[in-house]
Amino acid sequence: MTPAPASTIDAVVSTNPSTGEVVATHPATPPSEAPRIVAQARAAQPAWGATDVEARIAAIEAFAKYVEANLDALAQRVSDEVGKPMWEARLEAKAVVGKAGLAIKAHRGLLADEPVDVAGAAGRKRVLPLGVALVLGPFNFPAHLPNGQILPALIAGNAVVFKPSEKAPETGDWLARAWAESSGRPQLVQVAHGERELAEALIDADIDAVLFTGGEPAGRAIHKRLAGRPEVLLALELGGNAPIVVHPDADPDAAAYHALVSAYATSGQRCTCARRMIVVEGSPGGAAVEKLQALIPGVRVGHPGDDPEPFAGPLIDGAAGAAVLAFQERLVAAGGVALARCEPLRGQANLISPGLIDTTGVPDEPRGDDEVFGPLLQVRRVQSFDAALEEANRTRFGLAASLVGGSHEDFKRFKQAVHAGVVNWNGPTNGASGVLPFGGLKSSGNHRAAGFEMAHHVSDAAAEVVKDTLAAPATWPTGLTPPGGAS
């Protein structure tokens, strides 16, 4: 086992992306403490795993009621730490409540142990907890996304070690306190605050699963770190480079709206946000580009406290804003045409207006195939719907994709050609449902879909075959001689 690295920080401090003011300060967990924290979770797990599943579900329901009663408090923490307008922060807080019911439904529906006949014996599927699940949370949905892994893990009888994003520690801490106060079982959700060194130490500790949501490079690093430990389940939910394809016959106004929401929701800080808008040049649907260009000035970008309230808030920090602007300049320098530029607003490096760059003539190398986490959308003009399908699938990622316009047959072709875990028709790329799987193909994950399917990844399915009476068979297998019998 790799020795735990020394911590490089004494405290995890979150700052308000709008004001720069300190939101919360939490003592950093020394990486050397990782084994002790995991051991505490492991000590609490057996009694919880032995608890009747309906009692575990009752605890989850109590948690949901607690969050619902304190919805504004959670929403305020989300808004303060990651800069979401309050309307969006409240939606995230409500999703935490809604996830409880969905997680319960998934556990009961997907993991039901229907009895089967096995050669005269009673066969059943046994659902066993994994043990201790490590949840590494992201900043863009600091409550909703880790909650979508923590609750299924708890219902399945696991204990959880939770490292929130270092950019949103208070939101993560609030979730853990909500669980402790509503369930009376604080030891089942252990919180640790820190950066990469702590995450590595926790991964190296005696855990049974790693559930990670974040960028592709970090996901690959975790995968490598777990090499040689097949007993540790790894579920990766990584990034994307999502296309929204406008069919030649699409209504351009509707297509422009869905492209706008796809690209600029949450200031482009969703893994499912569209990064590429693909249109057939000269077609009616191709006019959606100009329609979108006309809509962009009406996208209100600002701080959560603004009146009227903005559609999009700031990026998480100045480094994120600088990365978006640098990528935009790279595209323009390579021949991209700026239909609308990302620009810093109010002299603030992370408050960025939406950008739209026509990169039709830009070679592949300057464009790359990396996830740029911000409100910047590329336009790609092609000559046919076939070429649009080919262009859409020219990415190593496969998280989300959307087709707007076209027929049922066109959508059938689209979903067969474009390899993505979330495929939508006549809606934005970032439209996902909690009653369905959520996860990416190719480099967007490792075949462990979240959403409704998370129940499968926080439990072990085992077999049980039972006969009520003990008896030797009347007929023995060939080559065995029963007592007093002929060979």
Side-chain angles (χ1 to χ4, degrees), residues 122-160:
R124 304 187 77 94
K125 176 172 71 176
R126 297 173 61 215
V127 178
L128 308 175
L130 298 173
V132 177
L134 170 61
V135 174
L136 302 172
F139 74 81
N140 59 335
F141 285 89
H144 171 52
L145 289 179
N147 181 67
Q149 297 170 330
I150 292 169
L151 294 191
L154 290 170
I155 295 172
N158 300 287
V160 171

mmCIF file of all heavy atoms in Angstrom, residues 122-160:
data_model
loop_
_atom_site.group_PDB
_atom_site.id
_atom_site.type_symbol
_atom_site.label_atom_id
_atom_site.label_comp_id
_atom_site.label_asym_id
_atom_site.label_seq_id
_atom_site.Cartn_x
_atom_site.Cartn_y
_atom_site.Cartn_z
ATOM 1 N N ALA A 122 -35.473 -24.200 -3.465
ATOM 2 C CA ALA A 122 -35.900 -22.807 -3.535
ATOM 3 C C ALA A 122 -34.681 -21.918 -3.745
ATOM 4 O O ALA A 122 -33.769 -21.897 -2.908
ATOM 5 C CB ALA A 122 -36.620 -22.406 -2.253
ATOM 6 N N GLY A 123 -34.667 -21.218 -4.862
ATOM 7 C CA GLY A 123 -33.559 -20.309 -5.151
ATOM 8 C C GLY A 123 -33.972 -18.871 -4.938
ATOM 9 O O GLY A 123 -35.095 -18.480 -5.266
ATOM 10 N N ARG A 124 -33.075 -18.092 -4.380
ATOM 11 C CA ARG A 124 -33.355 -16.675 -4.154
ATOM 12 C C ARG A 124 -32.099 -15.864 -4.457
ATOM 13 O O ARG A 124 -30.978 -16.352 -4.341
ATOM 14 C CB ARG A 124 -33.761 -16.406 -2.701
ATOM 15 C CG ARG A 124 -34.935 -17.198 -2.193
ATOM 16 C CD ARG A 124 -35.341 -16.704 -0.811
ATOM 17 N NE ARG A 124 -36.079 -15.453 -0.888
ATOM 18 C CZ ARG A 124 -37.412 -15.384 -0.923
ATOM 19 N NH1 ARG A 124 -38.129 -16.487 -0.907
ATOM 20 N NH2 ARG A 124 -38.026 -14.222 -0.984
ATOM 21 N N LYS A 125 -32.328 -14.592 -4.816
ATOM 22 C CA LYS A 125 -31.225 -13.648 -4.937
ATOM 23 C C LYS A 125 -31.057 -12.937 -3.604
ATOM 24 O O LYS A 125 -31.993 -12.335 -3.078
ATOM 25 C CB LYS A 125 -31.503 -12.639 -6.045
ATOM 26 C CG LYS A 125 -30.427 -11.554 -6.177
ATOM 27 C CD LYS A 125 -30.644 -10.691 -7.396
ATOM 28 C CE LYS A 125 -31.847 -9.798 -7.238
ATOM 29 N NZ LYS A 125 -32.019 -8.884 -8.396
ATOM 30 N N ARG A 126 -29.856 -13.003 -3.056
ATOM 31 C CA ARG A 126 -29.555 -12.290 -1.821
ATOM 32 C C ARG A 126 -28.845 -10.993 -2.184
ATOM 33 O O ARG A 126 -27.911 -10.986 -2.976
ATOM 34 C CB ARG A 126 -28.657 -13.119 -0.909
ATOM 35 C CG ARG A 126 -29.286 -14.413 -0.429
ATOM 36 C CD ARG A 126 -28.257 -15.243 0.333
ATOM 37 N NE ARG A 126 -27.763 -14.546 1.505
ATOM 38 C CZ ARG A 126 -26.504 -14.630 1.955
ATOM 39 N NH1 ARG A 126 -25.613 -15.343 1.296
ATOM 40 N NH2 ARG A 126 -26.138 -13.990 3.037
ATOM 41 N N VAL A 127 -29.278 -9.910 -1.596
ATOM 42 C CA VAL A 127 -28.651 -8.611 -1.832
ATOM 43 C C VAL A 127 -27.843 -8.248 -0.592
ATOM 44 O O VAL A 127 -28.396 -8.080 0.499
ATOM 45 C CB VAL A 127 -29.705 -7.534 -2.128
ATOM 46 C CG1 VAL A 127 -29.031 -6.181 -2.325
ATOM 47 C CG2 VAL A 127 -30.501 -7.909 -3.366
ATOM 48 N N LEU A 128 -26.543 -8.168 -0.768
ATOM 49 C CA LEU A 128 -25.641 -7.913 0.339
ATOM 50 C C LEU A 128 -24.985 -6.542 0.207
ATOM 51 O O LEU A 128 -24.672 -6.103 -0.907
ATOM 52 C CB LEU A 128 -24.527 -8.978 0.360
ATOM 53 C CG LEU A 128 -24.964 -10.440 0.332
ATOM 54 C CD1 LEU A 128 -23.743 -11.352 0.225
ATOM 55 C CD2 LEU A 128 -25.768 -10.770 1.582
ATOM 56 N N PRO A 129 -24.757 -5.854 1.310
ATOM 57 C CA PRO A 129 -24.003 -4.599 1.226
ATOM 58 C C PRO A 129 -22.552 -4.861 0.852
ATOM 59 O O PRO A 129 -22.013 -5.935 1.119
ATOM 60 C CB PRO A 129 -24.120 -4.022 2.639
ATOM 61 C CG PRO A 129 -24.411 -5.190 3.517
ATOM 62 C CD PRO A 129 -25.193 -6.170 2.687
ATOM 63 N N LEU A 130 -21.944 -3.872 0.223
ATOM 64 C CA LEU A 130 -20.527 -3.986 -0.101
ATOM 65 C C LEU A 130 -19.664 -3.825 1.139
ATOM 66 O O LEU A 130 -18.646 -4.494 1.300
ATOM 67 C CB LEU A 130 -20.137 -2.916 -1.121
ATOM 68 C CG LEU A 130 -20.829 -2.971 -2.481
ATOM 69 C CD1 LEU A 130 -20.451 -1.738 -3.308
ATOM 70 C CD2 LEU A 130 -20.452 -4.234 -3.224
ATOM 71 N N GLY A 131 -20.055 -2.908 2.017
ATOM 72 C CA GLY A 131 -19.276 -2.623 3.223
ATOM 73 C C GLY A 131 -19.139 -1.137 3.421
ATOM 74 O O GLY A 131 -20.040 -0.470 3.917
ATOM 75 N N VAL A 132 -18.002 -0.580 2.993
ATOM 76 C CA VAL A 132 -17.749 0.857 3.122
ATOM 77 C C VAL A 132 -17.569 1.441 1.723
ATOM 78 O O VAL A 132 -16.678 1.024 0.976
ATOM 79 C CB VAL A 132 -16.501 1.139 3.974
ATOM 80 C CG1 VAL A 132 -16.221 2.645 4.019
ATOM 81 C CG2 VAL A 132 -16.681 0.595 5.387
ATOM 82 N N ALA A 133 -18.410 2.406 1.382
ATOM 83 C CA ALA A 133 -18.347 3.062 0.077
ATOM 84 C C ALA A 133 -17.741 4.450 0.241
ATOM 85 O O ALA A 133 -18.177 5.231 1.101
ATOM 86 C CB ALA A 133 -19.740 3.166 -0.535
ATOM 87 N N LEU A 134 -16.747 4.753 -0.571
ATOM 88 C CA LEU A 134 -16.132 6.076 -0.595
ATOM 89 C C LEU A 134 -16.795 6.900 -1.693
ATOM 90 O O LEU A 134 -16.790 6.502 -2.867
ATOM 91 C CB LEU A 134 -14.630 5.955 -0.859
ATOM 92 C CG LEU A 134 -13.860 7.254 -1.146
ATOM 93 C CD1 LEU A 134 -13.942 8.207 0.038
ATOM 94 C CD2 LEU A 134 -12.411 6.943 -1.499
ATOM 95 N N VAL A 135 -17.377 8.035 -1.326
ATOM 96 C CA VAL A 135 -18.035 8.930 -2.272
ATOM 97 C C VAL A 135 -17.189 10.193 -2.401
ATOM 98 O O VAL A 135 -16.948 10.896 -1.407
ATOM 99 C CB VAL A 135 -19.464 9.287 -1.823
ATOM 100 C CG1 VAL A 135 -20.077 10.332 -2.744
ATOM 101 C CG2 VAL A 135 -20.333 8.026 -1.784
ATOM 102 N N LEU A 136 -16.723 10.465 -3.618
ATOM 103 C CA LEU A 136 -15.935 11.668 -3.910
ATOM 104 C C LEU A 136 -16.812 12.616 -4.717
ATOM 105 O O LEU A 136 -17.144 12.343 -5.869
ATOM 106 C CB LEU A 136 -14.674 11.291 -4.691
ATOM 107 C CG LEU A 136 -13.748 10.276 -3.994
ATOM 108 C CD1 LEU A 136 -12.632 9.840 -4.937
ATOM 109 C CD2 LEU A 136 -13.168 10.865 -2.712
ATOM 110 N N GLY A 137 -17.211 13.725 -4.102
ATOM 111 C CA GLY A 137 -18.230 14.578 -4.695
ATOM 112 C C GLY A 137 -17.676 15.676 -5.575
ATOM 113 O O GLY A 137 -16.534 16.118 -5.405
ATOM 114 N N PRO A 138 -18.480 16.174 -6.523
ATOM 115 C CA PRO A 138 -18.095 17.275 -7.405
ATOM 116 C C PRO A 138 -18.580 18.612 -6.857
ATOM 117 O O PRO A 138 -19.354 18.669 -5.900
ATOM 118 C CB PRO A 138 -18.831 16.924 -8.697
ATOM 119 C CG PRO A 138 -20.120 16.330 -8.195
ATOM 120 C CD PRO A 138 -19.800 15.618 -6.894
ATOM 121 N N PHE A 139 -18.150 19.708 -7.495
ATOM 122 C CA PHE A 139 -18.590 21.028 -7.045
ATOM 123 C C PHE A 139 -19.826 21.511 -7.782
ATOM 124 O O PHE A 139 -20.568 22.353 -7.266
ATOM 125 C CB PHE A 139 -17.466 22.066 -7.209
ATOM 126 C CG PHE A 139 -17.212 22.493 -8.635
ATOM 127 C CD1 PHE A 139 -18.011 23.455 -9.246
ATOM 128 C CD2 PHE A 139 -16.191 21.936 -9.370
ATOM 129 C CE1 PHE A 139 -17.786 23.845 -10.560
ATOM 130 C CE2 PHE A 139 -15.951 22.324 -10.685
ATOM 131 C CZ PHE A 139 -16.755 23.277 -11.283
ATOM 132 N N ASN A 140 -20.085 21.027 -9.008
ATOM 133 C CA ASN A 140 -21.131 21.667 -9.811
ATOM 134 C C ASN A 140 -22.541 21.344 -9.307
ATOM 135 O O ASN A 140 -23.448 22.151 -9.435
ATOM 136 C CB ASN A 140 -20.978 21.320 -11.293
ATOM 137 C CG ASN A 140 -21.052 19.832 -11.564
ATOM 138 O OD1 ASN A 140 -20.758 19.008 -10.691
ATOM 139 N ND2 ASN A 140 -21.425 19.468 -12.777
ATOM 140 N N PHE A 141 -22.726 20.155 -8.747
ATOM 141 C CA PHE A 141 -23.963 19.799 -8.036
ATOM 142 C C PHE A 141 -23.532 19.227 -6.689
ATOM 143 O O PHE A 141 -23.583 18.017 -6.470
ATOM 144 C CB PHE A 141 -24.791 18.789 -8.823
ATOM 145 C CG PHE A 141 -25.511 19.368 -10.004
ATOM 146 C CD1 PHE A 141 -24.909 19.440 -11.248
ATOM 147 C CD2 PHE A 141 -26.799 19.866 -9.873
ATOM 148 C CE1 PHE A 141 -25.561 19.974 -12.341
ATOM 149 C CE2 PHE A 141 -27.472 20.415 -10.956
ATOM 150 C CZ PHE A 141 -26.850 20.464 -12.202
ATOM 151 N N PRO A 142 -23.093 20.083 -5.765
ATOM 152 C CA PRO A 142 -22.440 19.594 -4.553
ATOM 153 C C PRO A 142 -23.359 18.862 -3.592
ATOM 154 O O PRO A 142 -22.885 18.138 -2.704
ATOM 155 C CB PRO A 142 -21.896 20.872 -3.916
ATOM 156 C CG PRO A 142 -22.823 21.951 -4.400
ATOM 157 C CD PRO A 142 -23.193 21.557 -5.797
ATOM 158 N N ALA A 143 -24.667 19.029 -3.748
ATOM 159 C CA ALA A 143 -25.627 18.307 -2.909
ATOM 160 C C ALA A 143 -26.261 17.153 -3.676
ATOM 161 O O ALA A 143 -26.267 16.003 -3.220
ATOM 162 C CB ALA A 143 -26.707 19.254 -2.402
ATOM 163 N N HIS A 144 -26.777 17.443 -4.854
ATOM 164 C CA HIS A 144 -27.557 16.454 -5.606
ATOM 165 C C HIS A 144 -26.739 15.240 -6.040
ATOM 166 O O HIS A 144 -27.179 14.089 -5.853
ATOM 167 C CB HIS A 144 -28.166 17.141 -6.825
ATOM 168 C CG HIS A 144 -28.805 16.205 -7.804
ATOM 169 N ND1 HIS A 144 -29.748 15.256 -7.434
ATOM 170 C CD2 HIS A 144 -28.631 16.051 -9.155
ATOM 171 C CE1 HIS A 144 -30.132 14.576 -8.513
ATOM 172 N NE2 HIS A 144 -29.457 15.037 -9.554
ATOM 173 N N LEU A 145 -25.565 15.447 -6.610
ATOM 174 C CA LEU A 145 -24.830 14.313 -7.166
ATOM 175 C C LEU A 145 -24.277 13.370 -6.085
ATOM 176 O O LEU A 145 -24.468 12.158 -6.187
ATOM 177 C CB LEU A 145 -23.738 14.804 -8.114
ATOM 178 C CG LEU A 145 -24.274 15.373 -9.438
ATOM 179 C CD1 LEU A 145 -23.135 15.870 -10.311
ATOM 180 C CD2 LEU A 145 -25.095 14.334 -10.193
ATOM 181 N N PRO A 146 -23.596 13.851 -5.042
ATOM 182 C CA PRO A 146 -23.179 12.892 -4.016
ATOM 183 C C PRO A 146 -24.355 12.252 -3.289
ATOM 184 O O PRO A 146 -24.301 11.070 -2.929
ATOM 185 C CB PRO A 146 -22.304 13.723 -3.074
ATOM 186 C CG PRO A 146 -22.617 15.127 -3.371
ATOM 187 C CD PRO A 146 -23.046 15.188 -4.799
ATOM 188 N N ASN A 147 -25.419 13.011 -3.093
ATOM 189 C CA ASN A 147 -26.607 12.446 -2.455
ATOM 190 C C ASN A 147 -27.159 11.272 -3.252
ATOM 191 O O ASN A 147 -27.651 10.290 -2.688
ATOM 192 C CB ASN A 147 -27.677 13.531 -2.320
ATOM 193 C CG ASN A 147 -28.938 13.052 -1.646
ATOM 194 O OD1 ASN A 147 -28.948 12.735 -0.470
ATOM 195 N ND2 ASN A 147 -30.029 12.992 -2.400
ATOM 196 N N GLY A 148 -27.052 11.360 -4.588
ATOM 197 C CA GLY A 148 -27.527 10.280 -5.450
ATOM 198 C C GLY A 148 -26.703 9.014 -5.345
ATOM 199 O O GLY A 148 -27.121 7.964 -5.858
ATOM 200 N N GLN A 149 -25.561 9.080 -4.694
ATOM 201 C CA GLN A 149 -24.760 7.883 -4.430
ATOM 202 C C GLN A 149 -24.844 7.470 -2.962
ATOM 203 O O GLN A 149 -24.879 6.286 -2.639
ATOM 204 C CB GLN A 149 -23.303 8.162 -4.834
ATOM 205 C CG GLN A 149 -23.159 8.437 -6.325
ATOM 206 C CD GLN A 149 -21.785 8.948 -6.707
ATOM 207 O OE1 GLN A 149 -21.105 9.610 -5.913
ATOM 208 N NE2 GLN A 149 -21.356 8.661 -7.919
ATOM 209 N N ILE A 150 -24.901 8.461 -2.067
ATOM 210 C CA ILE A 150 -24.935 8.170 -0.635
ATOM 211 C C ILE A 150 -26.219 7.448 -0.242
ATOM 212 O O ILE A 150 -26.177 6.434 0.478
ATOM 213 C CB ILE A 150 -24.768 9.469 0.179
ATOM 214 C CG1 ILE A 150 -23.347 10.027 -0.003
ATOM 215 C CG2 ILE A 150 -25.061 9.232 1.654
ATOM 216 C CD1 ILE A 150 -23.173 11.431 0.542
ATOM 217 N N LEU A 151 -27.368 7.946 -0.699
ATOM 218 C CA LEU A 151 -28.628 7.334 -0.269
ATOM 219 C C LEU A 151 -28.774 5.888 -0.744
ATOM 220 O O LEU A 151 -29.129 5.019 0.059
ATOM 221 C CB LEU A 151 -29.820 8.187 -0.726
ATOM 222 C CG LEU A 151 -29.947 9.578 -0.096
ATOM 223 C CD1 LEU A 151 -31.293 10.191 -0.436
ATOM 224 C CD2 LEU A 151 -29.745 9.539 1.407
ATOM 225 N N PRO A 152 -28.529 5.570 -2.029
ATOM 226 C CA PRO A 152 -28.593 4.151 -2.416
ATOM 227 C C PRO A 152 -27.617 3.283 -1.628
ATOM 228 O O PRO A 152 -27.932 2.133 -1.289
ATOM 229 C CB PRO A 152 -28.237 4.181 -3.906
ATOM 230 C CG PRO A 152 -28.617 5.542 -4.356
ATOM 231 C CD PRO A 152 -28.307 6.432 -3.196
ATOM 232 N N ALA A 153 -26.432 3.826 -1.325
ATOM 233 C CA ALA A 153 -25.454 3.050 -0.552
ATOM 234 C C ALA A 153 -25.973 2.752 0.854
ATOM 235 O O ALA A 153 -25.817 1.633 1.369
ATOM 236 C CB ALA A 153 -24.125 3.796 -0.489
ATOM 237 N N LEU A 154 -26.599 3.732 1.467
ATOM 238 C CA LEU A 154 -27.142 3.526 2.815
ATOM 239 C C LEU A 154 -28.313 2.552 2.793
ATOM 240 O O LEU A 154 -28.424 1.672 3.670
ATOM 241 C CB LEU A 154 -27.569 4.863 3.411
ATOM 242 C CG LEU A 154 -26.431 5.829 3.783
ATOM 243 C CD1 LEU A 154 -26.998 7.194 4.137
ATOM 244 C CD2 LEU A 154 -25.601 5.269 4.944
ATOM 245 N N ILE A 155 -29.208 2.684 1.825
ATOM 246 C CA ILE A 155 -30.338 1.757 1.741
ATOM 247 C C ILE A 155 -29.850 0.320 1.599
ATOM 248 O O ILE A 155 -30.425 -0.611 2.174
ATOM 249 C CB ILE A 155 -31.262 2.119 0.557
ATOM 250 C CG1 ILE A 155 -31.916 3.473 0.790
ATOM 251 C CG2 ILE A 155 -32.346 1.057 0.361
ATOM 252 C CD1 ILE A 155 -32.692 4.001 -0.402
ATOM 253 N N ALA A 156 -28.766 0.141 0.865
ATOM 254 C CA ALA A 156 -28.224 -1.207 0.646
ATOM 255 C C ALA A 156 -27.500 -1.756 1.868
ATOM 256 O O ALA A 156 -27.081 -2.915 1.861
ATOM 257 C CB ALA A 156 -27.273 -1.198 -0.550
ATOM 258 N N GLY A 157 -27.328 -0.944 2.921
ATOM 259 C CA GLY A 157 -26.711 -1.430 4.147
ATOM 260 C C GLY A 157 -25.247 -1.085 4.291
ATOM 261 O O GLY A 157 -24.564 -1.620 5.174
ATOM 262 N N ASN A 158 -24.757 -0.192 3.465
ATOM 263 C CA ASN A 158 -23.354 0.215 3.553
ATOM 264 C C ASN A 158 -23.167 1.377 4.520
ATOM 265 O O ASN A 158 -24.107 2.119 4.818
ATOM 266 C CB ASN A 158 -22.856 0.676 2.177
ATOM 267 C CG ASN A 158 -22.952 -0.410 1.140
ATOM 268 O OD1 ASN A 158 -22.193 -1.362 1.146
ATOM 269 N ND2 ASN A 158 -23.912 -0.267 0.222
ATOM 270 N N ALA A 159 -21.931 1.551 4.960
ATOM 271 C CA ALA A 159 -21.504 2.809 5.553
ATOM 272 C C ALA A 159 -20.817 3.621 4.468
ATOM 273 O O ALA A 159 -20.386 3.082 3.449
ATOM 274 C CB ALA A 159 -20.564 2.561 6.720
ATOM 275 N N VAL A 160 -20.706 4.926 4.676
ATOM 276 C CA VAL A 160 -20.183 5.830 3.653
ATOM 277 C C VAL A 160 -19.086 6.704 4.243
ATOM 278 O O VAL A 160 -19.219 7.224 5.355
ATOM 279 C CB VAL A 160 -21.316 6.725 3.089
ATOM 280 C CG1 VAL A 160 -20.756 7.811 2.183
ATOM 281 C CG2 VAL A 160 -22.342 5.881 2.349
#
